[in-house]
Amino acid sequence: VVSTQSTWGPAGSYCPNSTAIIRCPAGRYSNVTGLISASQCQTCPAGFYCSQGSQTPEICGAVSVYCPQGSDAPITVPRRFYSSGGSTPQTNTMTVTCTAGFYCVGGSRIACPVGRYGNGTGFSSCNSCDPGSSNNVTGVTRCQQCISGRFQSLIGQSACNDCPFGTYAQLDGQIECDNSIPGFYVDVMGSTTVSSCGAGRFQADYGASRCNQCAPGRSQSVQGSSSCDLCDVGTASDAAGSSCIGCTAGKYNKFP
């Protein structure tokens, strides 16, 4: 309270008598003179704040704060909420719980980036996609499993990878591809299955991208074999290596 000889209080105040000037209370303002009671000071509008003795409302500020009606100072938006309700981002009047697919910090609502998701409300950060899944768009509530033939071993990825040569993935959501077993091969990327070595061919290793031809003097008639068999004495392998045949008249073979 300040004593004065004026009978008219300045803007931002009121005079209940001729000897006192009292500032309008916090949360209210007055842009006219001659008020005689606090109730004549106007309530600060939503989106603005009015400190004690204000003559005009002040803009609330950045998106990190909000001002409901009657505010005497901006209020900080808590984590997991964003500010809203204003005609501009600087005059927001309330907070809203962060929506699914987004995270909220500093009063802003931000879409979860690629490789991440938000499967609930009130998130201050997004979750990373698990291994075996990915996400290549923003603002999603879940990640997509890698389809068969593809894999992802890392977290937070925007895409799954094709299984390389010699490997395959039969199931969705695999974190790694399976190696082909002996007798089988995979000669394409992104495969969901293996192929068996044909007659006359073999493969002894895991993770092979092709089969090997049986060497001369050896044969294999069974598909999916890991080795070839020696031909017996008096026989030789045919051109395909799929069988051993007897020597023709005038020829011999004494070695197995």
Side-chain angles (χ1 to χ4, degrees):
V1 177
V2 181
S3 297
T4 181
Q5 298 299 315
S6 174
T7 58
W8 294 99
S13 65
Y14 63 97
C15 296
N17 54 58
S18 61
T19 61
I21 298 174
I22 303 174
R23 291 183 294 175
C24 286
R28 290 176 172 269
Y29 76 100
S30 172
N31 57 4
V32 297
T33 61
L35 303 186
I36 62 173
S37 69
S39 63
Q40 290 180 299
C41 297
Q42 299 182 64
T43 301
C44 203
F48 297 80
Y49 71 95
C50 301
S51 56
Q52 189 180 38
S54 291
Q55 297 182 12
T56 57
E58 298 288 341
I59 292 176
C60 191
V63 294
S64 59
V65 295
Y66 69 104
C67 295
Q69 186 181 47
S71 294
D72 60 359
I75 304 171
T76 300
V77 179
R79 291 170 64 87
R80 301 183 174 87
F81 292 81
Y82 66 96
S83 57
S84 183
S87 58
T88 69
Q90 292 74 39
T91 57
N92 283 326
T93 63
M94 61 182 181
T95 60
V96 180
T97 302
C98 208
T99 48
F102 293 78
Y103 69 102
C104 294
V105 292
S108 295
R109 187 181 67 148
I110 307 165
C112 292
V114 295
R116 302 177 74 87
Y117 70 100
N119 62 341
T121 60
F123 278 35
S124 60
S125 63
C126 300
N127 300 314
S128 296
C129 293
D130 293 327
S133 67
S134 67
N135 164 44
N136 63 357
V137 295
T138 61
V140 301
T141 58
R142 65 185 181 90
C143 298
Q144 300 294 321
Q145 279 193 324
C146 297
I147 61 173
S148 57
R150 312 196 78 192
F151 77 102
Q152 182 51 258
S153 59
L154 303 176
I155 65 170
Q157 299 302 299
S158 61
C160 297
N161 304 313
D162 285 336
C163 289
F165 295 110
T167 67
Y168 67 103
Q170 287 183 307
L171 305 176
D172 293 342
Q174 290 199 202
I175 63 175
E176 61 182 12
C177 300
D178 302 308
N179 286 321
S180 61
I181 62 174
F184 295 82
Y185 69 100
V186 180
D187 62 353
V188 295
M189 295 183 66
S191 181
T192 62
T193 187
V194 296
S195 300
S196 60
C197 295
R201 304 181 72 82
F202 77 100
Q203 180 51 255
D205 297 326
Y206 289 86
S209 61
R210 64 182 181 86
C211 296
N212 303 312
Q213 180 74 37
C214 290
R218 293 175 177 268
S219 69
Q220 183 52 260
S221 61
V222 179
Q223 292 188 351
S225 295
S226 60
S227 64
C228 297
D229 302 320
L230 282 171
C231 291
D232 294 331
V233 174
T235 66
S237 58
D238 62 10
S242 60
S243 63
C244 295
I245 56 177
C247 295
T248 58
K251 295 184 177 182
Y252 75 99
N253 183 10
K254 65 179 181 179
F255 300 104

